[in-house]
């Protein structure tokens, strides 16, 4: 068979991109990925999710590269069940979240450490964990404050997130803060992003960045899209991200990955 995509990597964000509004990955997307692979390409995922949260989707996907998790703070090989790269948050973030809670105690604050999720301050969005099959701790035990943290998630209403995204540095301090959804802001280790992790992944698997096709929907995908040879934003994604992207594909609820694969067959 023609291996026209040998040396190419298709890498997709999960929520709002690969995953439809029904919280499922369509057969159209899966079949398109398999077709891309049949012609020599590789498929990977870059997400803000944890190992456990991503696994329930990864197990049913033809992923053949290590996966970028926590928006770039970890690269994990699901086939070998092995961490290939990981970087912890700076210690100063532990004091920072105390200040954030004092500033506005209606904001949800979540700590991610050693593959566990801890709710430091709940909000109405904390209810999204009720139907998850993994354990979520609704406090932060004393010993967790002494351990390495991977990321902190700030959760709230859209207007709260809009304001914090715009004014965080003036209110608190300069930090690696990214918008990962309408109701989510994430604090990540300095100089960490999906884009920086994608560079590391390409070195691990021997792939040239110019042969990467990436797809996302939110500002946490921007670095990945910018650094790729071919970067796409879904048409129902973040409006700011769309304005910064050269390529726009179908929305996540209309098989965005299938649309990108069809584009690749026509244009590469």
């Amino acid at each position: 068979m023609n291996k026209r995509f040998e040396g190419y990597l298709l890498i997709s964000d999960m929520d709002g991109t690969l995953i439809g509004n029904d919280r499922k990955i369509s057969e159209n997307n899966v079949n398109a990925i398999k077709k891309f692979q049949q012609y020599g390409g590789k498929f990977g995922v870059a997400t803000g999710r944890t190992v456990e949260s991503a696994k329930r989707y990864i197990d049913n996907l033809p992923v053949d590269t290590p996966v970028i998790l926590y928006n770039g703070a970890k690269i994990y090989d699901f086939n070998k069940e092995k961490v290939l790269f990981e970087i912890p948050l700076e210690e100063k973030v532990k004091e920072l979240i105390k200040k954030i809670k004092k500033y506005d105690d209606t904001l949800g604050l979540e700590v991610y450490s050693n593959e566990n999720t801890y709710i430091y301050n709940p909000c109405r969005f904390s209810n999204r964990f009720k139907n998850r099959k993994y354990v979520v701790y609704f406090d932060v035990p004393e010993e967790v404050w002494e351990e390495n943290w991977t990321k902190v998630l700030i959760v709230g209403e859209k207007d709260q997130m809009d304001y914090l995204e715009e004014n965080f540095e003036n209110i608190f301090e300069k930090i690696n803060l990214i918008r990962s959804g309408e109701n989510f802001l994430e604090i990540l280790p300095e100089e960490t992003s999906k884009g920086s992790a994608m560079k590391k992944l390409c070195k691990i698997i021997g792939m040239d960045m110019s042969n990467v096709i990436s797809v996302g929907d939110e500002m946490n995908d921007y670095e990945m899209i910018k650094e790729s040879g071919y970067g796409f934003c879904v048409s129902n994604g973040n409006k700011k991200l769309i304005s910064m992207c050269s390529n726009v594909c179908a929305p996540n609820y209309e098989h965005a990955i299938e649309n990108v694969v069809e584009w690749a067959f026509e244009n590469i």
Side-chain angles (χ1 to χ4, degrees):
M1 181 178 284
N2 180 351
K3 296 293 184 181
R4 63 185 293 182
F5 293 120
E6 190 165 352
Y8 282 83
L9 170 66
L10 171 61
I11 188 165
S12 176
D13 166 56
M14 293 184 76
D15 298 278
T17 304
L18 176 63
I19 300 173
N21 292 347
D22 58 359
R23 310 308 302 157
K24 297 178 181 179
I25 299 173
S26 71
E27 286 189 20
N28 295 58
N29 279 341
V30 173
N31 290 335
I33 292 166
K34 290 178 178 177
K35 181 180 178 181
F36 181 78
Q37 291 171 321
Q38 286 169 358
Y39 281 81
K42 289 186 176 294
F43 174 71
V45 167
T47 178
R49 288 173 174 258
T50 65
V51 170
E52 189 65 31
S53 179
K55 179 177 169 58
R56 59 196 180 98
Y57 288 105
I58 298 295
D59 284 348
N60 297 304
L61 278 172
V63 174
D64 52 7
T65 70
V67 171
I68 295 169
L69 301 168
Y70 296 100
N71 285 310
K74 180 178 285 191
I75 299 176
Y76 187 79
D77 189 327
F78 278 87
N79 293 323
K80 298 179 180 178
E81 298 185 345
K82 180 181 180 181
V83 176
L84 303 183
F85 168 81
E86 185 172 17
I87 184 170
L89 272 173
E90 297 76 25
E91 286 295 309
K92 66 179 181 179
V93 174
K94 294 175 181 177
E95 291 303 315
L96 176 60
I97 70 164
K98 296 177 183 177
K99 294 177 183 177
I100 296 171
K101 181 178 179 179
K102 187 175 181 181
Y103 167 77
D104 185 348
D105 63 8
T106 69
L107 293 170
L109 292 166
E110 301 170 9
V111 173
Y112 293 78
S113 173
N114 295 321
E115 289 305 322
N116 291 315
T117 303
Y118 302 93
I119 309 298
Y120 178 60
N121 198 53
C123 67
R124 75 178 182 91
F125 296 101
S126 303
N127 291 330
R128 74 188 191 281
F129 290 114
K130 284 185 176 180
N131 297 321
R132 304 292 167 88
K133 295 181 179 179
Y134 53 87
V135 177
V136 174
Y137 301 91
F138 279 77
D139 66 342
V140 183
E142 192 64 35
E143 62 270 18
V144 174
W145 292 90
E146 304 300 320
E147 297 174 355
N148 285 336
W149 293 4
T150 307
K151 76 171 184 179
V152 165
L153 187 62
I154 306 171
V155 191
E157 306 301 330
K158 181 181 181 300
D159 60 340
Q160 290 178 297
M161 298 298 98
D162 289 345
Y163 185 81
L164 272 183
E165 184 180 21
E166 186 71 27
N167 298 284
F168 193 91
E169 186 175 342
N170 292 329
I171 300 170
F172 301 106
E173 59 184 277
K174 186 175 176 60
I175 203 83
N176 188 11
L177 186 77
I178 61 165
R179 188 71 173 260
S180 58
E182 185 174 273
N183 306 106
F184 304 110
L185 282 168
E186 303 198 13
I187 301 175
L188 296 175
E190 294 297 335
E191 300 182 2
T192 296
S193 69
K194 287 185 181 181
S196 64
M198 188 176 66
K199 290 179 181 178
K200 292 181 176 67
L201 175 62
C202 284
K203 286 183 178 179
I204 291 170
I205 64 176
M207 194 72 66
D208 193 307
M209 292 282 290
S210 64
N211 288 343
V212 175
I213 306 167
S214 64
V215 197
D217 75 308
E218 265 295 346
M219 289 308 299
N220 60 319
D221 299 308
Y222 172 66
E223 294 292 334
M224 177 176 74
I225 291 170
K226 181 181 73 171
E227 298 293 342
S228 301
Y230 311 91
F232 288 81
C233 179
V234 296
S235 62
N236 64 324
N238 183 294
K239 291 181 180 179
K240 181 179 178 181
L241 180 63
I242 291 174
S243 71
M244 300 166 75
C245 290
S246 301
N247 302 304
V248 178
C249 64
N252 71 310
Y253 53 82
E254 291 183 1
H255 323 299
I257 304 307
E258 179 186 49
N259 182 225
V260 171
V261 170
E262 289 173 348
W263 177 92
F265 272 91
E266 293 174 2
N267 294 279
I268 296 178

